[in-house]
Amino acid sequence: MPSAIILGGTGAVGHAASQYLRANGWDVTLTSRTPPSWNAEHLITTTANRHDPYQLRRVLSGGADLLIDCLCYQAADATMLLPYLSHITKTIMISSKAVYVDRYGRHSNSDEPPDFAGPIDETCATLRPNDLDPNTQEGYGANKVAAEETLLNSGASVAILRPSKIHGAHARRPREWVFVRRAIERRLTLFYDPSRAGIDHPSAASNIAALIAALAHLPGNQIVNIADPDAPSGIEIARIVGGLLGVTFDEQPVSAPGHRLHPWDTNYPIVLDTKRAHELGYQPIGDYASTIKAEIDWLMANANLQTRLPFDDDPFFAPFFADQAAVAPPKR
């Protein structure tokens, strides 16, 4: 039975990958700083801080057929893996589409939104690697590039996965909560700016898991985009979520310069080209509408558990739950 180790395994990708691999005959060791919140029967779970060198050595010194690193954010993180890669057949790093830049050097975290003028494939230019704080707008993608390069130059067999907005049960940032909470509270008015595309390609954790399985036995290095077969807009996502919850949102078009009205609110479409993934044997589990149900069910089951869902003052979610009177059309 082949063996897999997942670093940072309690999020959406770790959950989906562990379930997918285990169902397909893998022994799976899942590591995290805290035990998983789901039933991890038939998995080997171990408490370990991926960024602690001594705990990482305990986890990796025995080797494995497959290593999935969900917590590799910078070159220093990648460097910590290097002593162990000779005992690991395939290493997969979860990177991000945030590494890509348009012709003006703008990226998905820029103050000025990028315009990629079409689907982004793996040959698109990327940020230059650096060691800025990875928790900043300019540091996140550049640090991911540095981590990618460190692993790709290691001589080991490495695959770099570049997803877009990840969704799935146990997501650390379940963006659909913006609509789920509004549905629960019967706050059904949704403002959107029709002058903006509002498209930022989602990536189901279950589809990422399917790609991981497809790459697990491939030799050599690969850099591969991963996203859902479709790229719905934020308003289309609201309709899908509302349909699953049995509500219809009242969509109100407004002109809202300077206001981000939902998590997918972009001036220009951000869509990943996934042809390379298909050429490598990947077959998606499903489109957005069919794969998002797992996250919505999880959100609804835990809607009253503030320890597992975003707090009201979460800096990412708070603006989407604030009174949007400032962008609403004036009453006549």
Side-chain angles (χ1 to χ4, degrees):
M1 188 176 284
S3 61
I5 298 172
I6 305 177
L7 301 178
T10 56
V13 173
H15 174 259
S18 64
Q19 302 303 306
Y20 191 98
L21 292 172
R22 189 67 188 85
N24 285 276
W26 288 72
D27 266 337
V28 179
T29 297
L30 186 149
T31 76
S32 61
R33 287 181 296 178
T34 58
S37 58
W38 67 85
N39 183 358
E41 187 179 4
H42 304 304
L43 301 177
I44 302 168
T45 60
T46 181
T47 302
N49 183 343
R50 181 255 182 266
H51 302 290
D52 183 306
Y54 301 103
Q55 295 184 40
L56 190 66
R57 181 175 62 187
R58 172 170 57 84
V59 171
L60 297 182
S61 59
D65 296 295
L66 175 64
L67 171 64
I68 305 165
D69 193 346
C70 302
L71 297 175
C72 192
Y73 297 113
Q74 52 192 334
D77 298 335
T79 300
M80 292 177 70
L81 300 179
L82 299 184
Y84 312 105
L85 296 190
S86 61
H87 303 294
I88 295 169
T89 307
K90 188 73 178 186
T91 297
I92 294 180
M93 172 194 161
I94 306 300
S95 187
S96 170
K97 65 104 173 358
V99 303
Y100 291 121
V101 294
D102 70 5
R103 61 191 181 279
Y104 300 110
R106 301 172 303 196
H107 50 88
S108 60
N109 291 324
S110 295
D111 287 330
E112 187 178 352
D115 180 4
F116 291 100
I120 307 164
D121 68 21
E122 292 85 354
T123 66
C124 180
T126 65
L127 287 158
R128 293 183 178 181
N130 68 36
D131 58 358
L132 295 172
D133 182 352
N135 296 310
T136 62
Q137 286 179 251
E138 292 303 317
Y140 180 77
N143 273 273
K144 281 287 191 180
V145 174
E148 290 181 1
E149 292 187 356
T150 299
L151 292 175
L152 291 170
N153 293 330
S154 68
S157 179
V158 172
I160 305 297
L161 272 56
R162 292 174 176 168
S164 186
K165 282 182 157 44
I166 297 174
H167 63 89
H170 307 282
R172 292 187 174 90
R173 178 170 284 172
R175 295 171 180 87
E176 288 74 12
W177 177 238
V178 167
F179 301 138
V180 172
R181 178 176 160 180
R182 286 190 170 274
I184 291 171
E185 297 176 351
R186 310 304 293 181
R187 298 168 63 187
L188 302 183
T189 299
L190 286 181
F191 297 110
Y192 71 101
D193 190 332
S195 70
R196 301 198 288 257
I199 297 173
D200 198 347
H201 211 161
S203 302
S206 55
N207 286 331
I208 296 172
L211 178 58
I212 287 171
L215 299 177
H217 299 293
L218 286 185
N221 290 346
Q222 298 86 32
I223 298 175
V224 193
N225 288 340
I226 175 63
D228 295 344
D230 56 336
S233 69
I235 290 300
E236 290 169 332
I237 287 171
R239 293 170 187 162
I240 292 168
V241 172
L244 291 171
L245 299 177
V247 304
T248 300
F249 290 103
D250 176 21
E251 301 168 12
Q252 295 291 330
V254 296
S255 177
H259 290 271
R260 194 158 174 253
L261 303 178
H262 55 75
W264 302 266
D265 200 355
T266 56
N267 285 30
Y268 310 101
I270 300 178
V271 177
L272 294 182
D273 184 319
T274 59
K275 288 196 293 288
R276 181 175 294 180
H278 289 271
E279 291 169 356
L280 294 173
Y282 159 71
Q283 293 185 340
I285 299 299
D287 61 8
Y288 178 83
S290 61
T291 56
I292 194 56
K293 186 177 185 302
E295 183 188 291
I296 302 306
D297 290 345
W298 168 69
L299 286 170
M300 291 300 292
N302 294 281
N304 294 320
L305 301 179
Q306 285 288 334
T307 56
R308 291 158 87 175
L309 290 179
F311 288 98
D312 290 348
D313 61 353
D314 181 286
F316 175 81
F317 287 96
F320 301 121
F321 296 130
D323 181 6
Q324 296 193 30
V327 300
K331 293 183 179 179
R332 297 186 183 276

